[in-house]
Amino acid sequence: MLDRLFGLTANGVTPRSEIVAGTTIFFTMAYILFVNPQILSAAGMDRGAVFMATALSAALATAAMGLVANLPIALAPGMGQNAFFAFTVVPLLAGDWRLALGCVFVSGLLFVALSASPAREWLVNAIPQSQKRAIGAGIGFFLALIGFQGAGWVVDSPATLLQPGRLSDPKALIAALGLVVMAALWVRGVTGAVLIGILTATGAALALGLVPLPALTAPMPSILPTLGQLHFSGAAATSISGSVLASVILVFLLLNLLDASGTLTAVGHRAGLMTDGRLRNARKALLTDAGGTVLGSVLGTSPVTAYIESAAGQDSSGRGARTGLAAVTVALLFLAALLFAPLAGAVPAYATAPALIFVAALFMADLKDVAWDDMTEALPALVTALAIPFTFSIAEGIGMGFIAYAAVKTLAGRWKEVGAGVAVIALAFAAKVTLGV
């Protein structure tokens, strides 16, 4: 039955190899179960409900990827997009996280429509390579800043904006321990290095009495505080201009497109699933990814997207997960993780902060692909990468970078290199700045 459903023999794999690969993928990305609730709770969302929404959205979207697209790719709420949701979008929408979920829902529907049409490929190709890389790096810097803040390593300063925190504080030291453990285990090739680092830091906090012991007999948290809570009306929706909502939806859509296209291609290359440069069942994969965002918004979480950690299902020679059975295995493990929901409340912010910093380091690899010897590429890339953390807004950073790219190219006499897509986006953000909306 499994062979007929997933084509195991045709792909040269066995049920055992796919299940082992799927288990490996799950443990490399299971940290999101603890990090996502921590981030979204900062936006006023119920932490227990977000844990449930995270696990369920990851399980359902990943199962769909395995059963519909037959690909060994796992999905979950995306890092970077959850930070954009909590620290940029919700404050921009007067603290209304329900309206923010509504924006995620609309962006997901647009993503579904684009994924089913040739417009998706045009839009992705229209964004310059340097800007794609700069956006990834900028999100990395943004995550690192949030992580440094959560660890207590930096605090605000009225004179210099930022200043060192009290680094001798036990919480700051525990965060440092967690980060060192993650990095050391990652270098040694230990599966689940990030998750182990979070658990190590949490264990140290429990041992020092900094957090209470979790109630093992506590009931499973309810998802009802976030389930179906998205809306498009209310005081915040009527008081916020349509251009603000449109820009939020546009940025969510751009991040979804870049995340999905980049991750699916990278994992496909790694697993040997590309034919003539195209991923097997690419359209089904993109539709599943887009559907995951719609589903996640209904359950109560930020956009769901494909995870680059899916590449952990391959060994050093590229052998490993090749079918949807690996993804279904990941989905079942996310469902099983619901049993540990009562334990999630014991994980403090300074235990998950190292995960943000560690993931930020992975994002930094994008910078190597920027043409630093071409100032018309390098300067806009730098503006994007630094504006995202310095403005504490992914949307503003992307807008400033696109405006810089179009302006520098045009004034340098290379306006033909500014594609129609970049020009439209740059003009839209410029109008937003000019009108002050």
Side-chain angles (χ1 to χ4, degrees):
M1 181 189 70
L2 291 176
D3 195 18
R4 288 196 304 273
L5 185 60
F6 298 108
L8 302 179
T9 301
N11 283 281
V13 295
T14 65
R16 181 183 180 279
S17 66
E18 291 294 280
I19 291 171
V20 169
T23 302
T24 301
I25 293 170
F26 170 77
F27 279 108
T28 61
M29 61 184 291
Y31 65 86
I32 194 63
L33 290 168
F34 303 103
V35 176
N36 200 49
Q38 194 74 254
I39 291 177
L40 297 192
S41 65
M45 301 178 70
D46 183 88
R47 187 169 171 177
V50 173
F51 180 96
M52 301 294 287
T54 301
L56 287 173
S57 62
L60 295 175
T62 303
M65 181 65 77
L67 296 171
V68 175
N70 193 23
L71 290 171
I73 296 173
L75 299 90
M79 291 292 291
Q81 296 199 51
N82 52 7
F84 174 57
F85 180 98
F87 299 109
T88 299
V89 175
V90 173
L92 186 64
L93 302 183
D96 191 343
W97 57 265
R98 294 174 177 84
L99 180 57
L101 287 177
C103 292
V104 173
F105 181 82
V106 174
S107 73
L109 291 180
L110 292 175
F111 192 14
V112 170
L114 278 174
S115 298
S117 72
R120 176 200 62 82
E121 189 169 352
W122 173 83
L123 184 57
V124 171
N125 292 336
I127 301 174
Q129 190 75 2
S130 61
Q131 283 300 299
K132 291 178 183 176
R133 300 300 181 231
I135 290 170
I139 292 174
F141 285 128
F142 189 48
L143 291 174
L145 179 58
I146 296 169
F148 270 64
Q149 185 181 38
W153 299 349
V154 296
V155 296
D156 64 318
S157 165
T160 60
L161 298 182
L162 294 176
Q163 63 182 359
R166 192 162 67 89
L167 301 182
S168 59
D169 188 295
K171 297 176 181 178
L173 296 175
I174 287 174
L177 170 66
L179 184 59
V180 170
V181 168
M182 289 176 194
L185 294 181
W186 181 277
V187 171
R188 291 177 174 271
V190 176
T191 299
V194 178
L195 178 62
I196 294 173
I198 292 174
L199 296 178
T200 300
T202 302
L206 289 169
L208 294 175
L210 298 177
V211 293
L213 289 170
L216 300 179
T217 58
M220 187 177 295
S222 171
I223 195 176
L224 292 180
T226 60
L227 179 64
Q229 294 297 309
L230 71 166
H231 69 67
F232 309 95
S233 60
T238 55
S239 63
I240 294 170
S241 68
S243 62
V244 171
L245 294 175
S247 66
V248 167
I249 293 170
L250 173 62
V251 173
F252 271 134
L253 179 60
L254 285 176
L255 293 178
N256 278 332
L257 281 168
L258 294 176
D259 267 358
S261 300
T263 300
L264 292 174
T265 300
V267 176
H269 274 298
R270 175 75 173 165
L273 301 174
M274 308 292 285
T275 303
D276 297 327
R278 291 183 59 83
L279 177 67
R280 183 184 78 196
N281 297 330
R283 180 163 293 186
K284 290 182 178 179
L286 283 165
L287 285 170
T288 301
D289 192 295
T293 290
V294 175
L295 173 68
S297 67
V298 174
L299 292 173
T301 186
S302 50
V304 173
T305 190
Y307 260 56
I308 193 63
E309 283 85 347
S310 302
Q314 315 301 319
D315 61 22
S316 59
S317 62
R319 295 190 300 268
R322 293 183 58 82
T323 74
L325 179 56
V328 172
T329 301
V330 176
L332 292 174
L333 289 171
F334 267 115
L335 287 177
L338 291 171
L339 299 175
F340 299 96
L343 301 178
V347 180
Y350 51 87
T352 57
L356 300 178
I357 301 168
F358 184 84
V359 172
L362 303 180
F363 275 88
M364 290 303 105
D366 287 339
L367 288 176
K368 69 178 179 9
D369 297 323
V370 175
W372 294 109
D373 56 345
D374 181 352
M375 189 55 67
T376 66
E377 298 286 336
L379 182 62
L382 181 70
V383 169
T384 300
L386 294 183
I388 288 175
F390 288 164
T391 63
F392 215 70
S393 169
I394 294 175
E396 296 296 330
I398 291 175
M400 292 171 67
F402 273 64
I403 292 172
Y405 187 90
V408 171
K409 288 284 188 182
T410 300
L411 294 176
R414 295 165 58 177
W415 58 270
K416 291 183 179 179
E417 297 177 23
V418 181
V422 173
V424 170
I425 295 172
L427 287 172
F429 275 108
K432 176 179 178 293
V433 172
T434 303
L435 298 174
V437 294

